[in-house]
Amino acid sequence: MKYLLTLIAAGILFTGCKNESKIDEDKEAKTENTSEIAQKETESGTTTIDIQPISHATAVINWGEATFYLDPVGGAEAFEGMEKPDFILITDIHGDHMSAETLQAMDLEGVHVIVPQAVKDQLPEELNSVLRTLENGATTKVIDFYIEAIPMYNLPENPDAFHIKGRGNGYVVERNGQRLYIAGDTEDIPEMRNLEEIDIALIPMNLPYTMTVEDAADGVLAFAPKKVIPYHFRGKDGFADVEKFKTLVNEGNQDIEVEMLEWYPDRAE
């Protein structure tokens, strides 16, 4: 009897040790899987790009731990509560894109302000120390961001057009393989159609300054970004029909996500 009890106890102990070993193996496997997932996410370089509209063509863009401003206008008060930018992108000389007063009211210490030459020519000389000019087709690097200046202009190319080729910049901002296209004031130009591997695109559509919703949709379908966001869509006669733009894009390519953001807080419903 004593021998039988000893055998039973040994069996229970063995089973317990085996179960504990199995639990430990499961924990290790789970830890390894979690580490593998985290490693793959790190290797992929995918980071959240959060675009916060301020108004019309102005936005604060948080890209992971970095922040940059697009066409800051509206005074420093328009950016209260926002992170200080690591850099600023300005596309053109018009007042809805360039504001010397807004820049002068900001803390620009350590901030790189990327501009076309035409913008630099119109800004006060006191800002020259923070300005970095970029011509169409050129690329610069800020922190670990690569910034390429893309042409933006009206069609047909007339000397008296609102936006002539070579004066302003659209931008492709790239980091770890992710690519954001900021079109600026442009029409459905070849340089836009020829873009590749764009994750997010900001596309304007307002007459008579840029293009129709139909042309905007055609251009987007040509270069097929993963996501497109209409912006800069208040024109001379009111707001462009961005819902029609969304319909046209999705009819042409259901894989392109069209995201609507609130660029006009005072817009009447």
Side-chain angles (χ1 to χ4, degrees):
M1 186 66 176
K2 183 177 179 181
Y3 176 72
L4 180 59
L5 291 173
T6 301
L7 286 176
I8 293 172
I12 293 172
L13 179 61
F14 175 76
T15 303
C17 291
K18 187 175 180 181
N19 289 340
E20 286 180 5
S21 176
K22 181 66 166 61
I23 292 170
D24 289 341
E25 288 175 2
D26 289 344
K27 286 182 178 178
E28 288 177 5
K30 186 175 181 181
T31 300
E32 288 175 1
N33 289 338
T34 304
S35 298
E36 288 175 5
I37 292 170
Q39 183 178 358
K40 287 178 181 178
E41 288 178 349
T42 301
E43 289 174 352
S44 71
T46 301
T47 305
T48 300
I49 302 173
D50 178 40
I51 299 173
Q52 302 180 54
I54 301 298
S55 66
H56 190 55
T58 302
V60 172
I61 301 173
N62 296 301
W63 191 321
E65 76 287 354
T67 298
F68 61 95
Y69 292 178
L70 172 62
D71 286 341
V73 302
E77 61 271 17
F79 302 88
E80 289 181 0
M82 303 292 182
E83 292 288 335
K84 179 179 175 179
D86 295 288
F87 60 94
I88 292 172
L89 301 177
I90 298 179
T91 61
D92 199 25
I93 61 174
H94 292 154
D96 54 342
H97 301 275
M98 180 191 75
S99 169
E101 293 77 10
T102 300
L103 292 173
Q104 288 171 314
M106 289 180 170
D107 174 14
L108 296 179
E109 183 176 358
V111 177
H112 300 277
V113 183
I114 312 300
V115 300
Q117 183 63 49
V119 168
K120 181 178 180 180
D121 291 344
Q122 294 200 19
L123 288 174
E125 289 186 5
E126 66 188 70
L127 291 172
N128 282 352
S129 62
V130 299
L131 300 182
R132 185 186 300 187
T133 57
L134 204 62
E135 64 181 13
N136 288 178
T139 301
T140 190
K141 184 180 181 183
V142 180
I143 324 173
D144 54 351
F145 290 87
Y146 290 90
I147 303 165
E148 180 183 2
I150 306 296
M152 46 156 273
Y153 55 94
N154 291 125
L155 296 172
E157 294 184 55
N158 295 323
D160 59 348
F162 288 106
H163 308 94
I164 58 174
K165 187 174 183 178
R167 187 188 73 201
N169 287 338
Y171 295 100
V172 169
V173 184
E174 181 172 350
R175 184 195 200 193
N176 295 332
Q178 288 179 280
R179 287 161 57 82
L180 166 67
Y181 172 49
I182 299 160
D185 285 9
T186 194
E187 293 198 42
D188 179 15
I189 59 175
E191 292 88 345
M192 179 175 72
R193 286 178 160 262
N194 292 334
L195 292 172
E196 297 179 349
E197 298 180 353
I198 299 297
D199 293 283
I200 303 175
L202 295 178
I203 301 294
M205 53 200 78
N206 62 332
L207 295 177
Y209 309 111
T210 59
M211 54 184 158
T212 66
V213 295
E214 293 83 2
D215 286 342
D218 284 346
V220 165
L221 290 171
F223 72 95
K226 293 178 182 177
K227 178 192 290 187
V228 60
I229 300 173
Y231 87 132
H232 198 286
F233 55 84
R234 181 178 55 206
K236 186 176 181 181
D237 298 320
F239 296 97
D241 189 347
V242 291
E243 291 297 336
K244 182 178 181 181
F245 167 78
K246 175 180 172 67
T247 297
L248 291 171
V249 170
N250 289 153
E251 285 177 350
N253 187 340
Q254 293 183 353
D255 293 331
I256 300 175
E257 178 186 355
V258 182
E259 182 177 12
M260 301 297 186
L261 299 180
E262 184 52 78
W263 295 93
Y264 304 97
D266 57 347
R267 181 183 181 187
E269 294 297 332

